[in-house]
Amino acid sequence: MIIVFKPKTSEEDVKKVSSQIEAKGLTTHIVVGEDVTICGIIGDTTIVDPKQIEVSPVVERVMHVSEPYKLANRAFHPDDSIIDVSGVKVGGDHLALIAGPCSVESKEQVIEIAKAAKAAGANMLRGGAFKPRTSPYAFQGMGTEGLDILVAAKKETGLPIVSELMSADYIEEFNEKVDLVQIGARNMQNFDLLKEVGKRCTKPVLLKRGLSSTYEEWIMSAEYIMASGNPNVILCERGVRTFESYTRNTLDLQAIPVIKKLTHLPIIIDPSHAGGKWWLVEPMAKAAVAAGCDGLMIEVHNNPECALCDGPQSLKPKKYTELIEQIREIGHIVGKEV
Amino acid sequence: MIIVFKPKTSEEDVKKVSSQIEAKGLTTHIVVGEDVTICGIIGDTTIVDPKQIEVSPVVERVMHVSEPYKLANRAFHPDDSIIDVSGVKVGGDHLALIAGPCSVESKEQVIEIAKAAKAAGANMLRGGAFKPRTSPYAFQGMGTEGLDILVAAKKETGLPIVSELMSADYIEEFNEKVDLVQIGARNMQNFDLLKEVGKRCTKPVLLKRGLSSTYEEWIMSAEYIMASGNPNVILCERGVRTFESYTRNTLDLQAIPVIKKLTHLPIIIDPSHAGGKWWLVEPMAKAAVAAGCDGLMIEVHNNPECALCDGPQSLKPKKYTELIEQIREIGHIVGKEV
Amino acid sequence: MIIVFKPKTSEEDVKKVSSQIEAKGLTTHIVVGEDVTICGIIGDTTIVDPKQIEVSPVVERVMHVSEPYKLANRAFHPDDSIIDVSGVKVGGDHLALIAGPCSVESKEQVIEIAKAAKAAGANMLRGGAFKPRTSPYAFQGMGTEGLDILVAAKKETGLPIVSELMSADYIEEFNEKVDLVQIGARNMQNFDLLKEVGKRCTKPVLLKRGLSSTYEEWIMSAEYIMASGNPNVILCERGVRTFESYTRNTLDLQAIPVIKKLTHLPIIIDPSHAGGKWWLVEPMAKAAVAAGCDGLMIEVHNNPECALCDGPQSLKPKKYTELIEQIREIGHIVGKEV
Amino acid sequence: MIIVFKPKTSEEDVKKVSSQIEAKGLTTHIVVGEDVTICGIIGDTTIVDPKQIEVSPVVERVMHVSEPYKLANRAFHPDDSIIDVSGVKVGGDHLALIAGPCSVESKEQVIEIAKAAKAAGANMLRGGAFKPRTSPYAFQGMGTEGLDILVAAKKETGLPIVSELMSADYIEEFNEKVDLVQIGARNMQNFDLLKEVGKRCTKPVLLKRGLSSTYEEWIMSAEYIMASGNPNVILCERGVRTFESYTRNTLDLQAIPVIKKLTHLPIIIDPSHAGGKWWLVEPMAKAAVAAGCDGLMIEVHNNPECALCDGPQSLKPKKYTELIEQIREIGHIVGKEV
């Protein structure tokens, strides 16, 4: 941690600040420049709150030189984490192919889609039972009944299930029925939920990036879950909010190499929610794999025109099948096997 | 609602779409243009999901012509709502002046600040007992003990209390101890919390704008609370996320006239969190009042240099007192009385 | 074009607006809904300025239903445009591979890099002679001398040259020396420059997307050049500005399918400027090709540690060579040949 | 300037970097921390390009500790600059009130508006003769003829003239006819234009903030003009681009205290372009003055419904007159006189 003092700060004032820090058992090192004086802090700086230093009238600003996350940090865990989702490996050279409808609508629908997705090469089934909707008047999902339909589809196809958890009240039910527990973008900084999921959730967690969350904030939310007891976190980029309104969100594929550099966690891409248009899914899915992602979460629907939610971004099974064939070839080039 | 068809859509295809809509009991009206054909829908269009129409291969896009919110909509409630917070009126020509520390740290601290704030003219006391922090390793607030300190400060000063609720598990405790229940920016789209607050919270709710939430999404979150049973919602602008990193957030004061045009709900401004620097608070507070806001939420701390959280953005009581004097004068010009 | 009237607008007021429009020779069609009345306009609506209608106190808003661009519009030119850059084809199934240093620094440097780039498979040479720099105190480029060095490198290698034009005063010099004239992101809405380039520039133009320009604004800038007389425009995505500051910009690869849907112009990707870090270039270049782009512009430097500008984002020739090998394979899968 | 090395960088590698810097005549100071080593650089660091250091494989990043601008920097010029625009002072306790139509449309129009604006209290007249328009098919302004109309209006009313310059070819004409030369948002980083304006423009310059320019970039553009020879720069905030699309732009009033802290230059606010709606102008103008701005640029039109450009954001003279009365009172409270 580095403290930058305001121009013309007196030696005495610099001393006063540095001795406060030394009082906490840290070592300081003062560098007097021509314009400004800086103070380097040596030791475990996580015990220092930079805001408390910044409030001093002689301090210009305080700069971090190391990341605020530990458990998720690649620096302390150089190898890729490989997360086991009921037998399906995510991370390393494995490619997770998660497919399914945005919302669970009926048993027939889900089973039909699950079979088609599996036939195409998918190795996990997604489906929303609890739905975060902007409007209180929109369809809010089938809830528990929806989860049971997913369980039935798993029994039929063997595909592990991914579904979104919106309230800590349902963690135990998800532990029982779901294989990968999704935390949605709008709950990425619902810290109470993150803590409870860390403590009580026995299944791996898929943590979506918030609509305007920085990489660091996103990793810190993973750190919340990990620090609370659940080390099995997979990150999911699903587009960020920008000035561009033609697409629903701007898909940030640079997240793939960045997350892999900063952390050891797997990262998968959701091209369906990012663009909000089905014809963007195919090129973005191929791009994501070429960039080295660990998986794809894609909405597949047998009848998008009648979907209760997000029909315009769903692929039909036939298109999904063709896509997976190209994905397989691109994955092969970049060292990922399906 | 208006459907825009793709260029060269056949008359027959247009008919097919319009008859689907008429099957729901709505009336349609087709306008054949030179380049494009459009279809106006007449009737209660809230029963139509635009996404289900957009998925049709012949539809270019679907456009709303009326707002998706009703209870919060100014069109249906032309008069300003005035919310009573344990005797303090918010809205109309009343100006709420909420002051206090970011975090509750000790009884002495809170009572000292509360007295100073009251003497300066504040009419409500804020203080965080449950704190949403980006890092799991940062101070997370005093919790229930913090609420009890606020209650003691209320006993001492008579000031109603504002504090943030992060989990539905504490609603009943907040009902008992707190006068205005804050939902933080990071929980603005925690829909499960919004619903529970609508159902079970007996006190008015202060709903902060999400970091990158549009006006419409923000109002829809108020609509969630109102539709679930609690009509007493006050909105709070606290800065939005942009590319500019010198300030913590960009304070959007245009929100004041916009929210007042679209809704009948009061809107207050939090200049402390927006900029993250104490010297931005004074000019922005004056600007907010000049623009017609219904209140200010400002961090005041007796000893910012030792604050456990957000010291750099806190005003000392003396500065706050001077500010309120100018606020009073500006309020007088724009028709708000303190 | 559709006019949406305010709720409760009288029939008479609607008539007044619609007759103003009919006076311009257009046909109108009024649809009276339950809440709102709308008016569809039929005919050549480019002669109507929506802002002039919106200013009426009874008009809520005016909505476009067709794009404001014509020459660049895919709807009127269904086939891909293939642009010939001194013999190198860009668009269709051709992949432009543009490589070279950010700035021209010396003849030896440029020729060495040009040879290495050509050996790796590049088919065009880039190099900045006139440099747009945020600081007036930074190196501003070698100017005309820099262009002459590029010409020498072209003589040596046969690679066509790409370089940035910053002022209309140099158009004739660029016509003589440069094969593809780049308009930088910061000049994307320098409309006077666009018009002059349209009128006087005899070479194809590479138009970079502005830092926060929408797709529509970007295409409208291409339309400026085309409408002024130069139809040979290639678009270049180079990252947009967002809240994320870890990367220099956020690369928007959704731009590839979107631009291809809306226009018939080729689109190439510049992964070097987008991320600002060399280790992001390789994954993003592969992603861009997988998503169907028409070319890549990549900074290659023989000695990035001594580059006068943007060293951290440059690849060494060896890394570039390895990258092009993978690009070739991915291009093959998606139908692009190098 | 501070160099942060990568974790585990060897002493020898650190030495190598620091001696390169010392070779330039600067002093370095190395601080070895537990996790990371940093190196402070002492002396005139403007001769060091941080990017050239960052490219080293052992360097994590390079941090500025002082601002990259000098002539505009408040640190070196503690007093407010007061700019004289043909007798009207801008800065200090003076409030510039610039009013007029977006575009010059006819002599009658401009003179009528100029008289009304002057009667209301305006002390400068604005009017666009050269118009930057997104579409090549939109009205591009009257050009020289428009400037001559403004000159006629000045003769009639005595109000100094503000108008936008889009090309260096017209600098001499502007020197002759215009009193304050505006550089528009889209040309804020048209560095060639900035340099020419610095060299050849004899009148003060009004520099609008780019649509997504940071404070630092904006100040650096002012620095370009100042370093090229013209010290008389006034900054103008006109809204920045965000995710919110209900308003045209998000007006950033925090810019006022920030710019005043970082620079000695005056800052004025353009609330008309920011929101794009006339009913936002009044509250934002009052807010801007309450926040301490040095002036307001407001669009006033005698007949907004027939304006050739930006009618929806123009005030009628009567509304403007009422606004100026309130502005006068608020200005009085915050120490600005009209």
Side-chain angles (χ1 to χ4, degrees):
Chain A
M1 197 175 277
I2 295 165
I3 302 172
V4 181
F5 289 93
K6 293 208 169 126
K8 296 172 193 161
T9 298
S10 72
E11 207 181 315
E12 190 192 359
D13 280 340
V14 169
K15 264 265 106 70
K16 215 187 293 173
V17 172
S18 70
S19 32
Q20 279 174 4
I21 285 152
E22 291 184 342
K24 301 192 182 202
L26 299 162
T27 308
T28 62
H29 213 103
I30 292 166
V31 181
V32 181
E34 256 169 46
D35 287 335
V36 288
T37 294
I38 64 168
C39 170
I41 307 178
I42 299 167
D44 177 13
T45 55
T46 61
I47 63 170
V48 182
D49 185 343
K51 286 187 178 167
Q52 266 185 280
I53 303 171
E54 244 170 27
V55 81
S56 158
V58 300
V59 169
E60 180 68 34
R61 77 199 125 131
V62 178
M63 299 191 280
H64 280 284
V65 293
S66 55
E67 289 86 12
Y69 41 89
K70 292 158 196 271
L71 300 172
N73 201 327
R74 169 78 74 174
F76 308 125
H77 308 72
D79 293 333
D80 286 351
S81 277
I82 296 175
I83 312 283
D84 186 306
V85 180
S86 304
V88 175
K89 290 189 164 48
V90 185
D93 58 0
H94 307 280
L95 204 56
L97 294 174
I98 307 172
C102 183
S103 297
V104 171
E105 292 163 24
S106 74
K107 194 165 166 182
E108 294 65 40
Q109 169 228 27
V110 174
I111 290 180
E112 186 184 330
I113 296 173
K115 284 180 176 170
K118 191 183 181 183
N123 50 22
M124 270 189 249
L125 174 67
R126 62 150 290 154
F130 297 86
K131 300 295 304 170
R133 302 299 298 271
T134 306
S135 167
Y137 309 120
F139 174 57
Q140 308 272 320
M142 292 180 75
T144 290
E145 196 188 341
L147 289 185
D148 291 336
I149 288 173
L150 289 166
V151 170
K154 180 182 176 185
K155 214 168 268 173
E156 197 83 24
T157 60
L159 294 176
I161 293 166
V162 189
S163 200
E164 178 167 351
L165 173 77
M166 290 177 63
S167 158
D169 294 349
Y170 291 88
I171 292 176
E172 281 68 30
E173 188 174 342
F174 273 64
N175 281 343
E176 196 189 307
K177 299 177 180 171
V178 167
D179 300 283
L180 177 59
V181 175
Q182 179 178 319
I183 302 294
R186 286 169 181 76
N187 277 323
M188 193 204 86
Q189 291 196 319
N190 178 347
F191 299 117
D192 274 45
L193 182 60
L194 299 180
K195 283 183 204 171
E196 292 305 312
V197 162
K199 270 185 226 157
R200 291 156 45 200
C201 183
T202 57
K203 298 294 175 70
V205 177
L206 182 69
L207 180 65
K208 288 202 153 189
R209 182 180 186 180
L211 275 80
S212 64
S213 297
T214 62
Y215 300 131
E216 189 172 297
E217 289 169 341
W218 187 18
I219 299 171
M220 288 307 280
S221 286
E223 188 86 6
Y224 254 99
I225 297 169
M226 298 169 88
S228 304
N230 188 338
N232 298 313
V233 179
I234 300 169
L235 298 169
C236 178
E237 158 71 26
R238 39 77 72 212
V240 292
R241 185 158 276 189
T242 68
F243 59 87
E244 178 61 70
S245 61
Y246 182 85
T247 46
R248 183 152 67 175
N249 291 115
T250 298
L251 184 65
D252 176 13
L253 292 180
Q254 289 183 153
I256 299 168
V258 169
I259 287 297
K260 291 201 158 294
K261 187 178 192 74
L262 300 179
T263 84
H264 52 91
L265 302 174
I267 174 168
I268 71 167
I269 302 296
D270 174 351
S272 305
H273 280 86
K277 298 177 196 287
W278 69 266
W279 50 272
L280 290 171
V281 172
E282 187 207 309
M284 289 305 105
K286 292 192 273 187
V289 172
C293 74
D294 298 304
L296 294 169
M297 179 144 87
I298 291 178
E299 287 189 14
V300 174
H301 200 285
N302 47 354
N303 191 2
E305 306 189 21
C306 296
L308 291 181
C309 161
D310 284 344
Q313 69 199 32
S314 294
L315 292 191
K316 292 188 185 171
K318 190 168 167 300
K319 277 227 169 291
Y320 182 70
T321 307
E322 291 162 10
L323 171 60
I324 296 306
E325 275 162 33
Q326 288 205 312
I327 290 298
R328 220 182 289 269
E329 294 183 70
I330 295 172
H332 187 71
I333 294 172
V334 298
K336 295 273 180 184
E337 297 305 328
V338 183
Chain B
M1 197 174 275
I2 295 165
I3 303 172
V4 181
F5 290 92
K6 290 204 173 133
K8 295 174 194 157
T9 298
S10 72
E11 207 180 314
E12 191 192 359
D13 281 339
V14 169
K15 257 299 56 98
K16 217 186 291 172
V17 172
S18 70
S19 30
Q20 280 174 4
I21 286 152
E22 291 184 343
K24 301 191 182 200
L26 299 161
T27 309
T28 62
H29 212 104
I30 292 166
V31 180
V32 181
E34 255 169 47
D35 286 335
V36 287
T37 294
I38 64 168
C39 169
I41 308 178
I42 299 166
D44 177 13
T45 54
T46 60
I47 62 170
V48 182
D49 185 344
K51 287 186 177 165
Q52 266 185 281
I53 303 170
E54 244 169 27
V55 80
S56 158
V58 299
V59 170
E60 181 68 35
R61 76 197 127 132
V62 178
M63 299 190 281
H64 279 285
V65 294
S66 54
E67 289 86 11
Y69 41 88
K70 292 161 194 272
L71 301 172
N73 200 324
R74 170 77 75 174
F76 307 126
H77 307 73
D79 293 333
D80 285 352
S81 279
I82 296 175
I83 312 282
D84 186 306
V85 180
S86 304
V88 174
K89 289 187 165 47
V90 185
D93 58 359
H94 307 280
L95 204 56
L97 294 174
I98 308 171
C102 182
S103 297
V104 172
E105 292 162 23
S106 74
K107 194 165 165 181
E108 294 64 39
Q109 169 229 27
V110 174
I111 289 180
E112 186 184 330
I113 296 173
K115 283 180 176 169
K118 191 184 181 182
N123 51 23
M124 270 189 248
L125 175 67
R126 61 151 289 154
F130 297 87
K131 301 294 305 169
R133 301 301 299 268
T134 307
S135 166
Y137 310 120
F139 173 57
Q140 308 273 319
M142 293 180 75
T144 290
E145 198 188 340
L147 289 185
D148 291 337
I149 288 174
L150 288 168
V151 170
K154 181 184 176 180
K155 216 169 264 172
E156 196 83 25
T157 59
L159 295 177
I161 292 167
V162 189
S163 201
E164 179 167 350
L165 172 77
M166 289 176 65
S167 158
D169 294 349
Y170 290 88
I171 292 177
E172 281 69 29
E173 188 174 340
F174 273 64
N175 281 342
E176 196 190 308
K177 298 178 180 170
V178 167
D179 300 283
L180 178 58
V181 175
Q182 179 179 320
I183 301 294
R186 286 170 180 75
N187 276 323
M188 194 204 85
Q189 291 196 320
N190 178 346
F191 299 117
D192 274 43
L193 182 60
L194 299 179
K195 283 183 205 169
E196 291 304 313
V197 162
K199 270 186 226 157
R200 291 157 45 198
C201 182
T202 57
K203 298 294 175 69
V205 177
L206 183 68
L207 180 66
K208 288 202 153 189
R209 183 180 184 179
L211 274 80
S212 64
S213 297
T214 62
Y215 301 131
E216 189 172 299
E217 288 169 341
W218 188 17
I219 299 171
M220 288 307 280
S221 286
E223 188 87 6
Y224 254 100
I225 297 170
M226 298 170 88
S228 305
N230 188 337
N232 298 312
V233 178
I234 300 170
L235 299 170
C236 179
E237 159 70 26
R238 40 75 75 211
V240 292
R241 184 157 276 189
T242 67
F243 58 87
E244 178 60 69
S245 61
Y246 182 86
T247 46
R248 183 153 66 175
N249 289 115
T250 298
L251 184 64
D252 176 13
L253 291 180
Q254 289 183 153
I256 300 168
V258 169
I259 288 297
K260 291 201 159 294
K261 187 178 192 73
L262 299 179
T263 84
H264 52 92
L265 302 174
I267 173 169
I268 71 169
I269 301 296
D270 175 349
S272 306
H273 279 86
K277 297 176 195 286
W278 68 266
W279 52 270
L280 290 171
V281 173
E282 187 206 309
M284 289 305 106
K286 292 192 273 188
V289 172
C293 74
D294 297 304
L296 294 169
M297 180 144 89
I298 291 177
E299 286 189 14
V300 175
H301 200 285
N302 48 354
N303 191 1
E305 305 189 23
C306 295
L308 291 181
C309 159
D310 284 344
Q313 70 199 32
S314 294
L315 292 190
K316 293 189 185 170
K318 189 168 169 299
K319 277 228 169 290
Y320 182 70
T321 306
E322 291 162 11
L323 170 60
I324 296 305
E325 275 162 33
Q326 288 206 311
I327 290 297
R328 221 183 287 271
E329 294 183 70
I330 295 172
H332 187 71
I333 295 172
V334 299
K336 294 275 180 182
E337 298 304 327
V338 183
Chain C
M1 195 174 275
I2 295 165
I3 302 172
V4 181
F5 290 92
K6 291 206 171 129
K8 295 172 194 160
T9 297
S10 72
E11 207 180 314
E12 190 191 0
D13 280 340
V14 169
K15 263 268 106 69
K16 216 186 293 173
V17 172
S18 70
S19 30
Q20 279 173 5
I21 286 152
E22 291 184 342
K24 301 191 183 202
L26 299 162
T27 308
T28 62
H29 212 104
I30 293 165
V31 180
V32 181
E34 257 170 46
D35 287 336
V36 288
T37 294
I38 64 168
C39 169
I41 308 178
I42 299 167
D44 177 13
T45 55
T46 60
I47 63 170
V48 182
D49 185 343
K51 286 186 177 167
Q52 266 185 280
I53 303 171
E54 244 170 26
V55 80
S56 158
V58 300
V59 170
E60 181 68 35
R61 77 198 125 131
V62 178
M63 300 191 280
H64 280 284
V65 294
S66 54
E67 289 86 13
Y69 41 88
K70 293 159 194 272
L71 301 172
N73 200 324
R74 169 79 73 174
F76 308 125
H77 309 72
D79 293 334
D80 285 352
S81 278
I82 296 175
I83 312 282
D84 185 306
V85 180
S86 303
V88 174
K89 290 190 166 45
V90 184
D93 58 359
H94 308 280
L95 204 55
L97 294 174
I98 307 171
C102 183
S103 296
V104 172
E105 292 162 24
S106 75
K107 194 165 165 181
E108 294 64 39
Q109 169 229 27
V110 174
I111 289 179
E112 185 184 330
I113 296 172
K115 284 181 175 169
K118 191 183 181 181
N123 50 23
M124 270 189 248
L125 174 67
R126 60 149 292 153
F130 297 87
K131 300 294 305 170
R133 301 300 298 269
T134 306
S135 167
Y137 310 121
F139 173 58
Q140 308 273 319
M142 292 180 75
T144 289
E145 197 188 339
L147 289 186
D148 291 338
I149 288 173
L150 289 167
V151 170
K154 180 183 176 182
K155 216 168 266 172
E156 197 83 24
T157 60
L159 294 177
I161 293 167
V162 189
S163 201
E164 178 167 351
L165 173 76
M166 290 177 63
S167 158
D169 293 350
Y170 291 89
I171 292 177
E172 281 67 31
E173 188 175 341
F174 273 64
N175 281 343
E176 198 189 307
K177 299 177 179 170
V178 167
D179 300 283
L180 177 59
V181 175
Q182 179 178 319
I183 302 294
R186 286 169 181 77
N187 277 323
M188 193 204 86
Q189 291 196 319
N190 178 346
F191 299 117
D192 274 44
L193 182 59
L194 299 180
K195 283 183 203 170
E196 292 306 312
V197 162
K199 272 186 224 155
R200 291 156 46 200
C201 181
T202 57
K203 298 294 175 69
V205 177
L206 183 68
L207 180 66
K208 288 202 153 188
R209 183 180 184 180
L211 274 80
S212 64
S213 297
T214 62
Y215 300 131
E216 189 172 299
E217 289 169 340
W218 187 18
I219 299 171
M220 288 307 280
S221 286
E223 188 86 6
Y224 254 99
I225 298 169
M226 298 169 89
S228 305
N230 188 337
N232 298 312
V233 179
I234 300 169
L235 298 169
C236 178
E237 158 71 27
R238 39 77 73 211
V240 292
R241 184 157 277 188
T242 68
F243 58 87
E244 179 59 70
S245 61
Y246 182 85
T247 46
R248 182 151 68 175
N249 290 115
T250 298
L251 184 64
D252 176 13
L253 291 180
Q254 289 182 154
I256 300 168
V258 169
I259 288 296
K260 291 202 159 293
K261 187 177 191 74
L262 300 178
T263 85
H264 52 91
L265 302 173
I267 173 168
I268 71 169
I269 301 295
D270 174 350
S272 305
H273 280 85
K277 298 177 195 287
W278 69 266
W279 50 272
L280 290 171
V281 171
E282 187 206 311
M284 289 306 106
K286 291 192 274 189
V289 172
C293 74
D294 298 305
L296 294 169
M297 179 143 90
I298 291 178
E299 287 189 13
V300 175
H301 201 284
N302 47 354
N303 191 2
E305 305 189 23
C306 296
L308 291 181
C309 160
D310 285 343
Q313 70 199 32
S314 293
L315 293 191
K316 293 190 185 170
K318 190 168 167 301
K319 277 227 169 292
Y320 182 71
T321 307
E322 290 162 12
L323 170 60
I324 296 305
E325 275 162 33
Q326 288 206 312
I327 289 297
R328 221 183 288 270
E329 293 183 70
I330 295 173
H332 188 70
I333 294 172
V334 298
K336 295 274 181 182
E337 297 305 327
V338 183
Chain D
M1 196 174 276
I2 296 164
I3 303 172
V4 181
F5 289 92
K6 291 207 171 127
K8 296 174 194 159
T9 298
S10 73
E11 207 181 314
E12 190 192 0
D13 281 340
V14 168
K15 261 284 77 86
K16 215 186 294 172
V17 171
S18 70
S19 31
Q20 280 174 3
I21 286 152
E22 290 183 344
K24 301 190 182 202
L26 299 161
T27 309
T28 62
H29 213 103
I30 292 165
V31 180
V32 180
E34 255 169 47
D35 286 336
V36 288
T37 294
I38 64 169
C39 169
I41 308 178
I42 299 166
D44 177 14
T45 55
T46 59
I47 63 169
V48 182
D49 185 344
K51 286 188 178 166
Q52 267 186 279
I53 303 170
E54 243 169 29
V55 80
S56 158
V58 299
V59 170
E60 180 69 34
R61 76 197 126 131
V62 178
M63 299 192 280
H64 280 285
V65 294
S66 54
E67 290 85 12
Y69 42 88
K70 293 159 194 270
L71 301 172
N73 200 325
R74 169 78 74 175
F76 307 125
H77 308 73
D79 293 334
D80 285 352
S81 279
I82 296 175
I83 312 282
D84 186 306
V85 180
S86 303
V88 175
K89 290 187 165 49
V90 185
D93 58 359
H94 307 281
L95 203 56
L97 293 173
I98 308 171
C102 182
S103 297
V104 172
E105 291 162 24
S106 75
K107 194 165 165 182
E108 295 64 42
Q109 170 229 26
V110 174
I111 290 180
E112 186 184 330
I113 295 173
K115 284 181 175 170
K118 191 183 180 182
N123 52 22
M124 269 189 249
L125 175 67
R126 63 150 289 155
F130 297 87
K131 301 294 306 169
R133 301 301 298 270
T134 307
S135 167
Y137 310 121
F139 174 57
Q140 308 273 319
M142 293 180 75
T144 290
E145 197 188 340
L147 289 185
D148 292 337
I149 288 173
L150 289 167
V151 170
K154 181 184 176 181
K155 214 168 268 172
E156 196 84 24
T157 59
L159 295 176
I161 293 166
V162 189
S163 201
E164 178 167 350
L165 173 77
M166 290 177 63
S167 158
D169 294 349
Y170 291 89
I171 291 177
E172 281 68 30
E173 188 175 340
F174 272 64
N175 282 342
E176 196 189 310
K177 299 178 179 171
V178 167
D179 301 282
L180 177 58
V181 175
Q182 178 179 319
I183 302 294
R186 286 169 181 76
N187 276 322
M188 194 204 85
Q189 291 195 319
N190 178 345
F191 300 117
D192 273 45
L193 182 60
L194 299 179
K195 283 183 204 171
E196 291 305 312
V197 163
K199 272 185 225 158
R200 291 156 46 197
C201 182
T202 58
K203 298 294 174 68
V205 177
L206 183 68
L207 180 66
K208 288 201 153 188
R209 182 180 185 180
L211 274 80
S212 64
S213 297
T214 62
Y215 301 131
E216 189 171 299
E217 289 169 340
W218 188 17
I219 299 170
M220 288 307 279
S221 286
E223 188 87 6
Y224 254 99
I225 297 170
M226 298 169 87
S228 305
N230 188 338
N232 298 311
V233 179
I234 301 169
L235 298 170
C236 179
E237 158 71 26
R238 40 75 74 210
V240 292
R241 185 158 275 188
T242 68
F243 59 87
E244 178 60 69
S245 62
Y246 182 86
T247 47
R248 183 153 66 177
N249 290 115
T250 298
L251 184 64
D252 176 13
L253 291 180
Q254 290 182 154
I256 300 168
V258 170
I259 287 297
K260 291 203 159 293
K261 187 177 192 75
L262 299 179
T263 84
H264 52 91
L265 302 174
I267 173 169
I268 71 169
I269 301 296
D270 174 350
S272 305
H273 279 87
K277 297 176 195 288
W278 68 266
W279 50 271
L280 290 171
V281 173
E282 188 207 309
M284 289 305 105
K286 293 192 272 188
V289 172
C293 75
D294 297 305
L296 293 169
M297 179 143 89
I298 291 178
E299 286 189 14
V300 175
H301 200 284
N302 47 355
N303 191 2
E305 306 189 22
C306 295
L308 291 181
C309 160
D310 285 343
Q313 70 198 32
S314 294
L315 292 190
K316 292 188 185 171
K318 189 168 168 299
K319 277 227 169 292
Y320 181 70
T321 307
E322 291 162 11
L323 170 60
I324 296 306
E325 275 161 34
Q326 288 206 311
I327 290 298
R328 221 183 288 270
E329 294 184 70
I330 295 172
H332 188 71
I333 294 172
V334 299
K336 293 276 181 181
E337 298 304 327
V338 183

